[in-house]
């Protein structure tokens, strides 16, 4: 019996700004590269235009060590965002865990 794959995510809601799509695309690249550099086996960056949320999603199964690995990757991604030259202002940053159908299992906001 295989365990269900879930997704750990770093979510960054960007403040409204001119050329936000271009900025979000740059952040997507930075987050994806950071995930790969942190040895993520699989990573996907994303941008939700309506919510102005850019982020990265790391798949994992229910094993506690795999959860820790996903969290480590997300931490590296957050650091890469925070160290960007001229990093855009974000309204909020949070972590979340999702089912494959996008149902949110848990979410934790961090102060910005």
């Amino acid at each position: 019996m295989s365990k269900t794959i879930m997704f750990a995510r770093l979510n960054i809601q960007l403040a409204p700004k001119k050329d936000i799509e271009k900025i979000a695309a740059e952040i997507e690249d930075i987050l994806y590269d950071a995930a790969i550099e942190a040895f993520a086996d699989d990573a996907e960056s994303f941008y939700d235009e309506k919510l102005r949320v850019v982020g990265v999603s790391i798949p994992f199964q229910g094993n506690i060590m795999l959860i820790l690995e996903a969290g480590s990757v997300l931490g590296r991604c957050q650091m890469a965002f925070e160290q960007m030259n001229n990093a855009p202002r974000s309204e909020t940053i949070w972590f979340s865990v999702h089912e494959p159908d996008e149902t949110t299992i848990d979410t934790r906001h961090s102060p910005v």
Side-chain angles (χ1 to χ4, degrees):
M1 184 174 157
S2 65
K3 293 183 179 182
T4 302
I5 293 179
M6 294 176 280
F7 297 89
R9 292 186 181 157
L10 168 65
N11 307 278
I12 303 166
Q13 185 176 38
L14 301 174
K17 189 173 182 173
K18 183 179 176 184
D19 298 331
I20 194 166
E21 289 81 14
K22 181 180 176 187
I23 294 166
E26 179 184 352
I27 295 169
E28 278 188 272
D29 290 343
I30 288 168
L31 295 177
Y32 179 81
D33 290 347
I36 297 305
E37 289 171 8
F39 305 108
D41 291 332
D42 193 11
E44 182 178 326
S45 60
F46 60 89
Y47 176 59
D48 183 320
E49 184 177 347
K50 182 178 178 182
L51 299 174
R52 298 184 325 273
V53 173
V54 64
V56 64
S57 182
I58 309 297
F60 71 93
Q61 293 181 334
N63 178 303
I64 189 88
M65 291 308 293
L66 297 176
I67 294 168
L68 289 173
E69 287 178 14
S72 174
V73 170
L74 294 182
R76 175 64 185 98
C77 293
Q78 182 176 1
M79 185 175 77
F81 170 73
E82 291 171 353
Q83 292 179 343
M84 281 179 63
N85 290 332
N86 301 317
R89 193 171 66 80
S90 59
E91 291 185 347
T92 186
I93 297 174
W94 73 97
F95 298 101
S96 57
V97 178
H98 301 266
E99 296 279 355
D101 68 0
E102 300 293 323
T103 301
T104 302
I105 298 170
D106 200 358
T107 186
R108 294 286 187 261
H109 282 77
S110 61
V112 175

